[in-house]
Amino acid sequence: MSSAPSLQLPLGLRLWPPQPGSPTPIYTEGYVFGPLENTTDSYRFSIMVDADRIPGLLAALVARLPEEMFFILEYYDNEAAASQEENPAPTIYYSPYLPTAEILEAIESYLPRLIHDGFVGFGLANNREGIEIFYSEEKVLTCFTGNHLRITDLLESRGIRHDPHLLFPTDSGHDHLSLMCLPRRSLPAPFAEMSDSDLDYACFCEEIGDLLDMYPVADDFAFFLSKKEQDQIEALLIAHPDYEEFAEEDFGGLLLDWSDFVSECVAGFEGDLWEYRQGLRLRDLIEFVISETTPALAEKIREIVAESDERLRENLVDRRKRLDPPEEGAPTGGNLFWYQGIVRNQGAPLRRDLIRQGWYQS
């Protein structure tokens, strides 16, 4: 039996040797797939191929992607690297939706480093179409999709076989290494000729972030909505005269907007009362979808917004008072907590408008 895995791993992932007397794991190319958790019509693929085949496989997958996507980048930025936690979490960044070809052109020169650096994960997604492709820092290629036959056909055409017993590097001990940690003399071209800053994942990831105007996303705000679920939501919004303007938008983006609004409220809301009301109206829209959609999807959305809702609750003061909802568009039933009280951390514009409205009068 060979003493080394047959799979060609990226440079930044190093497997531990087996314990004495234990068999040597054999890693081969292949994939597994199954239903994606918390969905009824989507699948998760986990794919292992040789590192030098990743660019070709990504290109084949991208050819089947929508014309617009957003780029995902996950790495340990300076704040995470300086954390005193034993296992600090990487920071996740999203780009806005951009033409897929524009994203690929922007990352082309960085792609080998993204693949081989053990502290970096990256991918592409389109929430509205219910598809995501991500190459993790564990160097496993995952794909979420509602069209599993298209992906199985593509993988089979490239000689990548389904193997329900496939071993992944995550099944055993391993180390993650940045390209900067590896001896320069051991690096293949083109890495050997690069400067330290070019090899430093924090530097080249920041460059990509600047190129694609990326922004950080809370690592605990991860979710996936299938195309079928998005279609259900779109039909509901189209039928509502006050929300139809949002019908063609990515509902996942609206959920992210609500999370961002809450984060701004917690940090200190610098907008005026009109802008504050717009944030609350966004929560009205989400509540309308929850109240009108299927029980399973409603519960899923509740779970997605639960933490943001709780953060806002904790930052509301004067909750015996009611900030009346907009006359049109707000859900009519129930106790809408987001209109009970006002955020604690108010900037000058919001406080000024509240004074003018008489909020502080007894």
Side-chain angles (χ1 to χ4, degrees):
M1 182 176 292
S2 172
S3 61
S6 57
L7 190 71
Q8 177 210 337
L9 294 172
L11 299 172
L13 196 66
R14 182 169 297 171
L15 300 176
W16 296 354
Q19 293 292 328
S22 299
T24 300
I26 301 298
Y27 298 92
T28 60
E29 292 191 335
Y31 73 92
V32 297
F33 79 105
L36 182 61
E37 59 272 17
N38 208 18
T39 68
T40 59
D41 62 329
S42 294
Y43 296 82
R44 174 199 295 270
F45 285 78
S46 298
I47 308 162
M48 291 297 301
V49 296
D50 287 344
D52 61 8
R53 295 189 68 193
I54 291 293
L57 181 55
L58 286 174
L61 290 167
V62 165
R64 292 160 171 79
L65 295 182
E67 292 183 359
E68 284 197 343
M69 305 284 285
F70 64 88
F71 189 64
I72 308 168
L73 190 58
E74 181 179 292
Y75 68 100
Y76 296 84
D77 59 16
N78 291 332
E79 183 176 340
S83 172
Q84 298 301 309
E85 298 179 18
E86 184 175 348
N87 295 303
T91 304
I92 302 170
Y93 293 84
Y94 286 176
S95 79
Y97 276 92
L98 296 167
T100 306
E102 182 179 321
I103 295 175
L104 297 178
E105 181 179 357
I107 69 168
E108 182 178 6
S109 63
Y110 298 97
L111 188 56
R113 284 172 282 177
L114 291 171
I115 291 171
H116 282 279
D117 198 292
F119 287 159
V120 178
F122 69 97
L124 290 158
N126 183 309
N127 288 334
R128 182 62 189 85
E129 296 299 322
I131 188 166
E132 177 180 312
I133 297 170
F134 190 74
Y135 192 59
S136 70
E137 64 172 300
E138 302 290 352
K139 303 312 175 185
V140 176
L141 185 63
T142 59
C143 179
F144 303 160
T145 179
N147 192 338
H148 67 292
L149 294 179
R150 177 185 295 179
I151 302 300
T152 55
D153 288 347
L154 183 152
L155 295 174
E156 293 291 335
S157 72
R158 302 182 75 84
I160 304 168
R161 304 299 183 186
H162 177 236
D163 181 358
H165 305 294
L166 187 69
L167 286 180
F168 293 89
T170 50
D171 294 328
S172 61
H174 60 279
D175 293 318
H176 293 260
L177 302 172
S178 75
L179 293 174
M180 285 282 290
C181 292
L182 299 169
R184 183 62 64 97
R185 63 181 179 275
S186 71
L187 292 175
F191 303 133
E193 290 81 25
M194 289 185 178
S195 67
D196 286 349
S197 61
D198 286 339
L199 282 179
D200 188 342
Y201 71 87
C203 292
F204 69 74
C205 285
E206 185 174 347
E207 291 175 8
I208 296 172
D210 291 340
L211 282 172
L212 297 178
D213 196 23
M214 304 186 77
Y215 56 92
V217 179
D219 61 356
D220 54 1
F221 197 69
F223 59 89
F224 181 84
L225 295 173
S226 71
K227 186 177 187 304
K228 180 179 178 181
E229 290 168 335
Q230 294 263 14
D231 289 343
Q232 292 174 8
I233 294 168
E234 179 179 347
L236 290 173
L237 297 179
I238 287 175
H240 194 295
D242 296 304
Y243 299 142
E244 60 181 341
E245 64 182 287
F246 299 99
E248 294 185 1
E249 293 192 27
D250 167 20
F251 188 70
L254 298 178
L255 296 175
L256 284 170
D257 288 344
W258 171 245
S259 175
D260 290 342
F261 170 77
V262 172
S263 295
E264 185 179 357
C265 288
V266 172
F269 191 80
E270 298 300 328
D272 59 19
L273 182 56
W274 181 87
E275 292 170 305
Y276 183 76
R277 286 188 183 278
Q278 294 308 298
L280 303 187
R281 184 177 180 231
L282 178 60
R283 187 59 181 83
D284 294 341
L285 181 154
I286 295 169
E287 190 66 19
F288 165 74
V289 172
I290 290 173
S291 66
E292 297 296 323
T293 192
T294 62
L297 182 53
E299 181 59 27
K300 181 175 182 177
I301 297 171
R302 284 193 194 96
E303 291 177 0
I304 292 171
V305 299
E307 184 166 346
S308 296
D309 284 355
E310 185 58 31
R311 291 174 66 210
L312 185 64
R313 280 194 186 93
E314 293 173 352
N315 281 275
L316 291 174
V317 294
D318 296 336
R319 295 183 64 176
R320 289 175 295 177
K321 299 180 182 180
R322 181 179 178 86
L323 186 66
D324 288 334
E327 294 182 1
E328 298 180 355
T332 56
N335 181 21
L336 307 182
F337 78 87
W338 49 97
Y339 287 108
Q340 305 293 328
I342 194 69
V343 289
R344 178 182 293 107
N345 299 322
Q346 305 159 15
L350 178 57
R351 185 170 181 82
R352 176 201 63 210
D353 289 351
L354 290 170
I355 292 172
R356 289 174 177 173
Q357 182 176 288
W359 177 264
Y360 296 105
Q361 294 178 3
S362 58

